[in-house]
Structure formats: structure tokens, C-alpha cells
């Protein structure tokens, strides 16, 4: 495959990745606003308390073998089939275990409703096991247009179910049904688009062959899940008798995650397949120095694109957090605003983790990925233990600061693997951070006298978008050249 073809595929992947993440987050925003208005903060708490169990179960279910498939140069039907049946068998066993321990989960959080609620929600990951191989197939082949369609359909269908149930007073059960229906539609949609089909001729040889790599990925997934849900879990226990506190944090965490995943989701759909492809060319090439430069060039381009999107998006959300929350889901959620603002600052750096992770995995070093995540979680646990008595805002602030600083550790390993220097990374990313921060501070002072929440929200968003676009134009920053060239090429072919 020539570099021109790879460049075109990357541009197409980025275009559909952005569209997929954009459509996903827009739908999530609309559904989240409707559900936020219908369901009180305390009623969100049960879902937040057991989120960590569902997420870890999902990690164990895939066991990292789907990532191993994407990392293969040319996976066979037998590889997909082995992962398919292994995931289903593992998921059935996991569901039975979680079904049995559900009463202890309810006892731990002092919430009796969690017994039946958790048993129902855990059905979502059981259903998801049927779609893990097909999802790996779509990711490997960069079927991002089809991924966009499937994800959008799943969100719309599950959102309609959740909103209908919430409107009829089903409280947190509407959120549970949303997860189960979403998992079901995803499985159906993936099978619709993917030509591969499982067979009853089961050979687990690919599982044994990729076991070590996949186990490293599995441990990393579990650690990442702990990292992403540890605060909700801890707050769920510490504030069990005041569930509105847990609900407020869960709401802030949800909006922050949705925002930064708009960027990380766009990059992640193409990062690993592209980097694996470049690595494949590296193994076939004789000039090691040129291939290293090629890898670094591809990685830095992704860094710039990530910074171009992440900093204005997340700093912008921090700017309008109060107006956004009050105008959309209502004043009853005002207590989550300070938490959201702090999380958004850290959220601006989270998409870079996805990029570094995919780089390291593409080099076959899942062990580095695993140990970096383990070390980070251990540090977070220590810091939480040292600061939790200072209050929720202090804990969130320390949590955010560590997430920013720890990126330097990832950068050190990226430098060892492909030779990308810290100075180059700073040149690619820091200007976007400074420009975005300066614009948001200026807009804050410019609009601070306006009292209408909705007017202030619309005005700040409009000014921020226009100001950032003008500054990027003046500085002649063109992040989307490749994507625009691809779109023009496709349009020209269609006209012919």
C-alpha cells in the first residue's frame, strides 16, 4: 500500500471519525438534556454507583482480543471466529457471577434497589459480547461510515425508549433500559454491515497465540476503567446517605466525558489501524531512519489535529458550564457546575492519552501501556486517600492535575519508541492551548455583565467559535487539509 493511499484512508477515517463522534455527542446531549430534566439528581446515583461493575465486566468480556485483532496485519476468519465464541462464553460466566453478587453490591452501597437494577443492567454487556468481533472487523477495515450509522441508530432507539420511560415515571429504570437497548441495536447493526459470519467450527488457537498480548490489554482496560470510574465509586460509598452528591458528580463527569470523547473518538477510530500500517511498512523497509521519521510525522499530525479540537472544545465547555447546565437540565443541577469546570480542564488533555496509547500498542508494547496505567491508578488512589477529607472539589482538582502531569511519562516512552521529542510535541500542542485559554478568558470578561443564562450561553459559544476560526485563519493553521482534499476528490469522482 502506498503512502498516498494510506493518507487518503487516514483522511477518510478522520472525516467519518469526526462525523461519528459529532453525531454521537449531539445525540447524547439531546438525550442527556431530556433525561436530566425528568430525573432528579438523587435518582441518578444508583446508575453511577454500579457503572464501574458494568464497565469492568465489559473489559473482561472482550479480554483484549478484539484489540489484538486490530493490531494484526491480516486477521483471518478463524481469528474473528475464535474471539467471537470466546467472548460469548466468558460473558455468560461473568454474568452468572455478577448476578450472584448483586445483593452484596446493594449492601455495600446501602441501596437495596441495586440488586434487581444491577442484574438487569449487566444484561447489556452480555448482549454486547455478540458484537465484539464484528466491531473489531469494522475498526480494522476503517468502516467508519458504517460505524457512524450503527452508533447513531443505537443512540436514537435507546434514547427514545429511555425518554419514554422517564416521562412515565420509571426513574432510574429508564437509564437501565437505555443501556440494554443500546447494546442490542449495536449488535444487530454491526452484523448488518459486516460480511463476516461466525461458524460452529471453533478453534481457539488464535486465543492461545495472542494470549499474552491480549492479557496485557485486558489489565490495561480494567485499570483504565478503574481510573475513569474510581471517583464515582468512592463518592458512592462516602456519600451513600446523600445520593444527590453522587448524582451531581456523575452528571458533571458524564458531560465532561461526552465532550472530550468527541475528539478522542474521532482520533481513536483511525489511530491504531494507521499506525499499525505504518509499522508494517517499517518492517518491510530497509531504511530504518526514514521509517522512524515517517512514524513521527504521522503521529505529530494526529497530535496537532487533536490539540486543534480538544483545547477549544474543553476550555469552551468550562467557560459556559454554568449557563449550559442551568439552561439545559435545569437549576436543580447547579451544584455540579464547579465540578464540571475542573473536569473540563483535565478533559482537554484526555484525548492525548488515546493517541499515546494507540501509538504504544501499535508498536506491540502492550506491556508498557499496562504498567503506565497501573502506576497512574495507584498514584490516584494514594492522592484520593490523602485529600478526600478536604472535600469533593479538592479531590477532583488533584485528580485532574495528576492526569495532566502523567502525560509527560507517556511522552517519554513515545520518544523511546519512535523518537518523537518533547519539544516537538510542545510546539504542536501548546500554541493551541494558549490561544484557546486566552480566548476563553477574554470572552469571559467581555460577556460577564449579561444576566440571561440562555442568551449568555448562545453569545459565548458564538463568539468563541468565530474568534477561534478567525485566529486560526490569521495564523494560517490548516488542520483539515487532508480531509478536505479527500472530500473534494470524492465529489469530483461523483460528478464524473
Amino acid at each position: 500500500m502506498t503512502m498516498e493511499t494510506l493518507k487518503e484512508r487516514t483522511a477518510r477515517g478522520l472525516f467519518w471519525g469526526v462525523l461519528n463522534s459529532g453525531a454521537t455527542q449531539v445525540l447524547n446531549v439531546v438525550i442527556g438534556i431530556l433525561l436530566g430534566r425528568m430525573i432528579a439528581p438523587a435518582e441518578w446515583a444508583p446508575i453511577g454507583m454500579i457503572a464501574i461493575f458494568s464497565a469492568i465486566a465489559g473489559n473482561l468480556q472482550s479480554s483484549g482480543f478484539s484489540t489484538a485483532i486490530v493490531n494484526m496485519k491480516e486477521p483471518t476468519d478463524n481469528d474473528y471466529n475464535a474471539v467471537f465464541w470466546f467472548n460469548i462464553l466468558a460473558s455468560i460466566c461473568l454474568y452468572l457471577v455478577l448476578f450472584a453478587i448483586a445483593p452484596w453490591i446493594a449492601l455495600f452501597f446501602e441501596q437495596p434497589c441495586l440488586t434487581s437494577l444491577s442484574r438487569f443492567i449487566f444484561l447489556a454487556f452480555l448482549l454486547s459480547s455478540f458484537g465484539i468481533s464484528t466491531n473489531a472487523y469494522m475498526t480494522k477495515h476503517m468502516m467508519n461510515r458504517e460505524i457512524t450509522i450503527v452508533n447513531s441508530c443505537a443512540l436514537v432507539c435507546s434514547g427514545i425508549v429511555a425518554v419514554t420511560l422517564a416521562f412515565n415515571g420509571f426513574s432510574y429504570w429508564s437509564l437501565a433500559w437505555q443501556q440494554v437497548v443500546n447494546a442490542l441495536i449495536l449488535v444487530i447493526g454491526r452484523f448488518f454491515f459486516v460480511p463476516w459470519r461466525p461458524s460452529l467450527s471453533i478453534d481457539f488457537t488464535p486465543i492461545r497465540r495472542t494470549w499474552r498480548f491480549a492479557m496485557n490489554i485486558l489489565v490495561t482496560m480494567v485499570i483504565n476503567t478503574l481510573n475513569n470510574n474510581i471517583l464515582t465509586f468512592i463518592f458512592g460509598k462516602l456519600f451513600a446517605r446523600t445520593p444527590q452528591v453522587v448524582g451531581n458528580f456523575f452528571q458533571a463527569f458524564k458531560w465532561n466525558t461526552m465532550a472530550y470523547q468527541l475528539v478522542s473518538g474521532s482520533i481513536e477510530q483511525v489511530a491504531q489501524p494507521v499506525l499499525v500500517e505504518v509499522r508494517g511498512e517499517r518492517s518491510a523497509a530497509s531504511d530504518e531512519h526514514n521509517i522512524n521519521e515517517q512514524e513521527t510525522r504521522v503521529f505529530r499530525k494526529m497530535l496537532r489535529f487533536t490539540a486543534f479540537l480538544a483545547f477549544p472544545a474543553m476550555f469552551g465547555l468550562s467557560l459556559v458550564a454554568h449557563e449550559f447546565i442551568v439552561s439545559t437540565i435545569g437549576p436543580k443541577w447547579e451544584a455540579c457546575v464547579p465540578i464540571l469546570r475542573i473536569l473540563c480542564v483535565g478533559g482537554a488533555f484526555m484525548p492525548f492519552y488515546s493517541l499515546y496509547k494507540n501509538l504504544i500498542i501499535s508498536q506491540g508494547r502492550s506491556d508498557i501501556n499496562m504498567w503506565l496505567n497501573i502506576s497512574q491508578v495507584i498514584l490516584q488512589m494514594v492522592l484520593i486517600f490523602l485529600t478526600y477529607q478536604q472535600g469533593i472539589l479538592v479531590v477532583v482538582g488533584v485528580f485532574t492535575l495528576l492526569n495532566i502531569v502523567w502525560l509527560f511519562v507517556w511522552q517519554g516512552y513515545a520518544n523511546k519508541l519512535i523518537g518523537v521529542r518533547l519539544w516537538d510535541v510542545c510546539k504542536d500542542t501548546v500554541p493551541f492551548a494558549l490561544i484557546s485559554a486566552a480566548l476563553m478568558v477574554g470572552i469571559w470578561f467581555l460577556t460577564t455583565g449579561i444576566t440571561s443564562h440562555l442568551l449568555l450561553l448562545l453569545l459565548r459559544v458564538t463568539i468563541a467559535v468565530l474568534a477561534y476560526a478567525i485566529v486560526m485563519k490569521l495564523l494560517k493553521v490548516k488542520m483539515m487539509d487532508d480531509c478536505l482534499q479527500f472530500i473534494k476528490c470524492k465529489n469530483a469522482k461523483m460528478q464524473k
Side-chain angles (χ1 to χ4, degrees), residues 389-404:
Q389 292 182 333
Q390 306 301 316
I392 188 172
L393 291 180
V394 174
V395 175
V396 173
V398 171
F399 179 84
T400 297
L401 182 61
L402 176 61
N403 282 336
I404 296 173

Side-chain angles (χ1 to χ4, degrees), residues 29 41 51 59 76 78 90 133 153 165 191 384 426 447 487 494 496:
V29 167
N59 298 152
T76 64
N78 190 44
S133 287
C153 290
L165 291 175
F191 269 103
I384 291 171
C426 291
T447 58
I487 295 169
M494 290 176 65
K496 289 180 181 180

Side-chain angles (χ1 to χ4, degrees), residues 77-115:
D77 286 351
N78 190 44
D79 294 324
Y80 289 109
N81 198 59
V83 171
F84 177 83
W85 289 111
F86 181 85
N87 287 334
I88 291 177
L89 293 174
S91 297
I92 292 173
C93 295
L94 282 170
Y95 181 77
L96 293 176
V97 171
L98 290 171
F99 187 94
I101 68 171
W104 281 273
I105 296 175
L107 183 63
F108 177 81
F109 288 109
E110 302 176 33
Q111 297 285 335
C113 67
L114 290 182
T115 300

Side-chain angles (χ1 to χ4, degrees), residues 3 7 24 33 41 53 55 99 115 135 159 161 164 186 193 285 287 338 355 360 368 415 427 453 467:
M3 271 308 298
K7 185 176 181 179
T24 298
I33 289 172
F53 295 99
F99 187 94
T115 300
N135 184 54
V161 171
T164 302
L186 284 175
F193 283 109
D287 192 341
L355 199 51
I360 290 174
I368 294 176
N415 182 35
K427 286 195 301 183
H453 293 306

Side-chain angles (χ1 to χ4, degrees), residues 29 36 67 89 96 154 172 182 261 312 344-345 354 372 423 454 484:
V29 167
T67 305
L89 293 174
L96 293 176
Y172 50 75
N182 185 74
Q261 282 185 347
C344 283
V345 175
S354 297
L372 285 179
W423 174 245
L454 184 57
L484 292 175

